[in-house]
């Protein structure tokens, strides 16, 4: 069994009692496992502790650093290298093996971070095709950081950093295997989250400098997509046809169409803000 001693795992939580145990069971190979919790009022903390995680509480003060950067600085990780995860994310078995190999030499590693592709569960199915999200989730805390952007007055995203990648003072590597984004919540919760996210994105569009600043901090795919006209239609063609989302059946269509509607929603909200 893989045993990882030189990389710490940090899981970010807030009222995650439903799926947290399933996530933590996939992380038992990490010698240093930390849950950074935001004052949960359910059983999140007790579940984390019962699975061997150290729990550190985070209370946002309305300013920077937000939760991810705060965790890198204050969670008390024993290692410089940190795998930073949401509560519904865990490494696939292939990624655990890859991390285990990397763990053997990582103290001499000159990179500052690693990008990892996600396998996404949507509407009960783990998708194998279509749009693929990339996250910079493996970070060396003294070489990588989440930038501070001027979005404290933006709606939609509050205590956790928005949809942009951490920066690095050193080279950025890429891992071959995938993180599993195991979203088992009802689809209605996906729509509720993306309703809030679209508020944030629409706000950004009202500030050209801020929008350009955040676009520069996204992946190369995000930077390219930022400049694409007719985003909803372009995304659907890309995800469903070019990336062959249709091979995932109805769930593949639903995922592509849901994100298409998300980009449409951003546009509608932006135009409303512009009129007012």
């Amino acid at each position: 069994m893989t045993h990882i001693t030189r990389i710490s795992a940090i899981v970010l939580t807030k009222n995650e009692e439903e799926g947290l145990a399933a996530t933590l069971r996939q992380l038992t190979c990490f010698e240093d496992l930390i849950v950074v919790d935001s004052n949960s009022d359910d059983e999140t903390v007790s579940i984390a502790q019962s699975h061997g995680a150290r729990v550190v509480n985070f209370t946002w003060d309305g300013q920077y650093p937000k939760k991810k950067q705060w965790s890198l600085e204050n969670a008390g990780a024993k290692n410089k290298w940190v795998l930073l995860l949401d509560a519904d994310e865990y490494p696939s078995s292939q990624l655990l093996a890859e991390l285990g190999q990397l763990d053997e030499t990582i103290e001499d590693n000159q990179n500052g971070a690693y990008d990892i592709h996600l396998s996404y569960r949507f509407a009960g199915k783990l998708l194998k095709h279509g749009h693929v999200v990339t996250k910079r989730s493996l970070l060396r805390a003294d070489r990588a950081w989440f930038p501070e952007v001027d979005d404290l007055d933006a709606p939609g995203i509050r205590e956790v950093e928005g949809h942009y990648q951490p920066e690095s003072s050193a080279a950025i590597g890429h891992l071959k295997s995938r993180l599993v984004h195991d979203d088992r919540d009802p689809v209605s919760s996906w729509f509720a989250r993306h309703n809030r996210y679209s508020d944030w994105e629409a706000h950004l569009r009202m500030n050209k400098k801020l929008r350009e600043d955040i676009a520069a901090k996204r992946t190369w795919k995000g930077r390219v997509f930022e400049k694409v006209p007719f985003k909803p239609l372009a995304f659907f063609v890309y995800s469903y046809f070019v990336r062959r989302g249709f091979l995932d059946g109805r769930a593949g269509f639903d995922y592509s169409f849901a994100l298409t509607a998300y980009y449409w929603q951003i546009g509608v909200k932006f135009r409303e803000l512009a009129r007012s």
Side-chain angles (χ1 to χ4, degrees):
M1 180 179 177
T2 303
H3 188 57
I4 299 174
T5 62
R6 299 172 183 87
I7 301 171
S8 298
I10 296 179
V11 181
L12 307 179
T13 64
K14 183 174 183 178
N15 293 332
E16 300 287 352
E17 65 179 5
E18 290 298 325
L20 182 59
T23 295
L24 295 180
R25 282 196 294 268
Q26 306 299 322
L27 300 173
T28 56
C29 60
F30 286 87
E31 184 177 279
D32 189 34
L33 175 59
I34 306 166
V35 166
V36 176
D37 184 65
S38 297
N39 301 292
S40 290
D41 55 15
D42 63 2
E43 296 302 312
T44 293
V45 170
S46 61
I47 291 170
Q49 292 171 336
S50 70
H51 285 79
R54 289 188 291 117
V55 178
V56 179
N57 193 67
F58 169 74
T59 301
W60 189 46
D61 63 2
Q63 302 296 317
Y64 280 97
K66 291 189 176 184
K67 190 172 183 177
K68 293 180 181 180
Q69 181 63 33
W70 187 93
S71 297
L72 291 179
E73 296 175 356
N74 299 287
K78 297 177 182 178
N79 300 295
K80 293 179 179 179
W81 282 95
V82 171
L83 183 66
L84 192 61
L85 302 170
D86 291 336
D88 55 4
E89 294 175 345
Y90 57 81
S92 64
S93 57
Q94 296 86 352
L95 181 56
L96 281 178
E98 191 173 357
L99 289 170
Q101 293 177 343
L102 186 62
D103 187 64
E104 297 175 1
T105 60
I106 201 163
E107 291 182 343
D108 298 321
N109 191 298
Q110 298 303 306
N111 288 343
Y114 281 86
D115 287 347
I116 310 174
H117 290 326
L118 266 61
S119 291
Y120 200 96
R121 184 185 299 277
F122 185 81
K125 182 172 181 177
L126 196 61
L127 304 177
K128 298 180 180 178
H129 307 280
H131 170 63
V132 176
V133 174
T134 301
K135 291 187 69 174
R136 194 162 296 158
S137 294
L138 181 59
L139 309 169
R140 177 159 164 152
D142 58 350
R143 296 176 186 166
W145 64 93
F146 288 85
E148 297 183 4
V149 301
D150 186 19
D151 68 343
L152 291 177
D153 62 341
I157 298 177
R158 304 301 293 162
E159 69 171 28
V160 180
E161 287 82 350
H163 296 156
Y164 48 83
Q165 302 282 20
E167 298 179 340
S168 173
S169 60
I172 297 168
H174 183 88
L175 297 180
K176 297 177 181 179
S177 307
R178 294 197 179 193
L179 277 176
V180 178
H181 186 106
D182 194 17
D183 188 356
R184 296 179 180 271
D185 291 338
V187 173
S188 59
S189 69
W190 188 96
F191 286 110
R193 288 196 306 273
H194 283 75
N195 185 43
R196 297 194 302 271
Y197 297 162
S198 63
D199 289 341
W200 182 77
E201 295 278 4
H203 176 87
L204 297 186
R205 292 193 181 191
M206 293 297 294
N207 186 327
K208 184 174 183 292
K209 184 177 182 299
L210 176 58
R211 182 181 179 185
E212 291 174 348
D213 183 34
I214 290 180
K217 295 173 174 58
R218 286 173 163 155
T219 62
W220 70 268
K221 290 185 293 185
R223 293 193 297 272
V224 169
F225 190 63
E226 176 66 21
K227 300 177 181 179
V228 171
F230 307 109
K231 283 183 173 56
L233 177 61
F235 179 85
F236 186 80
V237 170
Y238 167 75
S239 180
Y240 194 65
F241 293 106
V242 177
R243 296 292 302 179
R244 300 185 299 171
F246 59 85
L247 293 178
D248 284 316
R250 184 56 187 260
F253 173 83
D254 288 343
Y255 180 65
S256 296
F257 192 82
L259 279 173
T260 296
Y262 169 63
Y263 289 114
W264 167 81
Q265 190 178 15
I266 293 169
V268 171
K269 290 181 176 181
F270 166 70
R271 290 188 289 276
E272 181 179 61
L273 290 173
R275 287 194 303 271
S276 62

